[in-house]
Amino acid sequence: GDNHTCALDSTGKAYCWGYNGDGQLGRASNNTTNSSVPVAVKTSGVLSGKTVTAIAAGDNHTCALDSTGKAYCWGYNGYGQLGNNSTTSSTVPVAVNTSGVLSGKVLTNISVGYAYTCVLDSDGKAYCWGLNEFGRLGDNTATQRNTPVAVYDAGVLSGKTLVAVSAGDAHGCVIDSNGEIYCWGNNYNGQLGNSSNTNSYPPVNLKEADSAVSAGYSHTCAIDSNAKAYCWG
C-alpha cells in the first residue's frame, strides 16, 4: 500500500504491518497503533472461521477475499472505499455490501487503489466502489459509490469475459479472456494507453494481447504472451 504492507500465510490468515493511523492494519477495534512487525488481522468478527485467499493494500485501506468469494475491507472509509454502504472508517474488517450488484456473486480477484476498490466475479464481470473522481470506478459517471457498482459494459466491454483487474491511483485496467486490455479513469499522463490525454469514464480498449496488467500512480505496465513487458504513461 502507501505506507503499509499485508500478506497471507498458507492457512489463509492475514497479517499487516506499517502505518495504522486509519486502521488499515485491521489489528483490533479502535487500534490505530503503527507496527514495525507483522500483526494478525482481527478474525473474531466478520472473518471468524474464514480462509482468506487474496489481500490487497491501498493508500489507507485494505481489502481481502475469502474462499467463498466474499469481500471484506478495513481502514479509512471517507469515500466509501470499504463498500459497506457507509463512510465510517473501521479498524477491523467489515463485509462489503452484497445486497446490490454483488448479490449471489462469487468474487475471484480484488485490487485496491487510492480510495477505491475493484473486484472481478466468477462470470468475468468487474465491479468497483469508493471515490469516483476522474471516473476511476469505470461506471461511466463521476459519482462516489459507498456500495459496489458494475463497471460499464455496454461499450467496449460488451460480451467480454474479464480475467484480471488492477486498480491504480486514479485509473483502473482489466484484461479479457482474449488478452485485450481495457482501462478507464484518469488519463492526464496517457496512462490509459489509448493515444490521448483525455480522461475516460467508461472503459477504453487498448487492443493489446497481454497476460498481465498492473496500474500504478500515473502509468501502467503489462506483460504479453511472449513474456515481454510494456509500459505507458
Side-chain angles (χ1 to χ4, degrees), residues 203-216:
V204 294
N205 188 359
L206 276 65
K207 297 186 180 301
E208 299 287 341
D210 294 274
S211 58
V213 66
S214 183

Side-chain angles (χ1 to χ4, degrees), residues 12 36-37 40 47 78 88 100 104 128 131 142 144 146 149 169 171 183 207:
S36 58
V37 297
L47 288 184
T88 302
C128 298
L131 180 65
Q144 178 177 311
N146 300 337
V149 293
D169 180 70
H171 75 292
C183 297
K207 297 186 180 301

Side-chain angles (χ1 to χ4, degrees), residues 54-59 61-65 69-73 79-84 96-97 101-102 105-122 124-141 143 145-152 157 162-175 182-186 192 200-203 213 215-216:
I55 195 164
D59 183 68
H61 78 292
T62 308
C63 295
L65 298 181
K70 300 299 183 184
Y72 309 85
C73 297
Y79 300 100
Q81 58 262 55
L82 301 190
N84 66 336
V96 172
N97 186 285
V101 294
L102 292 189
K105 303 296 184 181
V106 176
L107 305 180
T108 58
N109 287 261
I110 192 163
S111 186
V112 176
Y114 176 79
Y116 75 111
T117 308
C118 293
V119 294
L120 295 185
D121 70 11
S122 57
K125 300 299 183 182
Y127 310 85
C128 298
W129 58 91
L131 180 65
N132 204 12
E133 184 185 21
F134 307 116
R136 70 189 73 190
L137 301 187
D139 68 337
N140 202 27
T141 79
T143 304
R145 308 290 187 175
N146 300 337
T147 58
V149 293
V151 171
Y152 186 76
L157 289 185
L162 306 179
V163 297
V165 62
S166 181
D169 180 70
H171 75 292
C173 296
V174 291
I175 297 178
Y182 308 82
C183 297
W184 60 86
N186 191 350
L192 301 191
S200 183
Y201 292 173
V213 66

